[in-house]
Amino acid sequence: MIAPPVANVQVATGGMRNWILNLHAALSVTGVYAAHAAIAALIGQGGHDSQPRTIADAYWRLHTGRTEAELVVRDLPDDYLERGLADEFVES
């Protein structure tokens, strides 16, 4: 997901994601579990996937299943950039 106003955070998040995925792979044989969760949604304001209960259930499945290294929730409207997230980058 490209969001220019938060590019600095996205760089750090990318590094953290890669570190957690490698940590998960390295520690999976020891019984230690690590996973990365990324939420690209307007929680409670979008479709089914962005509802708090749906996200909580996904986290619970991630925690109890302990097999997946990553949870990604993508439920942003197509016009999310035009809705004010990056309005300084949108041409008038």
Side-chain angles (χ1 to χ4, degrees):
M1 180 183 89
I2 305 295
V6 291
N8 58 338
V9 174
Q10 290 175 325
V11 170
T13 301
M16 181 181 66
R17 175 186 178 266
N18 286 332
W19 180 72
I20 292 171
L21 295 178
N22 284 305
L23 187 64
H24 173 79
L27 297 178
S28 62
V29 296
T30 69
V32 175
Y33 177 67
H36 175 257
I39 300 176
L42 302 174
I43 299 173
Q45 298 178 34
H48 178 266
D49 289 345
S50 66
Q51 297 308 307
R53 183 69 199 179
T54 305
I55 294 171
D57 289 344
Y59 265 97
W60 184 249
R61 285 191 308 275
L62 185 70
H63 169 70
T64 57
R66 302 178 69 84
T67 56
E68 298 298 316
E70 186 167 36
L71 166 66
V72 178
V73 176
R74 285 190 187 102
D75 192 13
L76 286 169
D78 292 337
D79 65 344
Y80 76 98
L81 286 176
E82 290 81 23
R83 295 169 94 190
L85 179 63
D87 51 354
E88 67 269 22
F89 293 96
V90 177
E91 292 181 27
S92 304

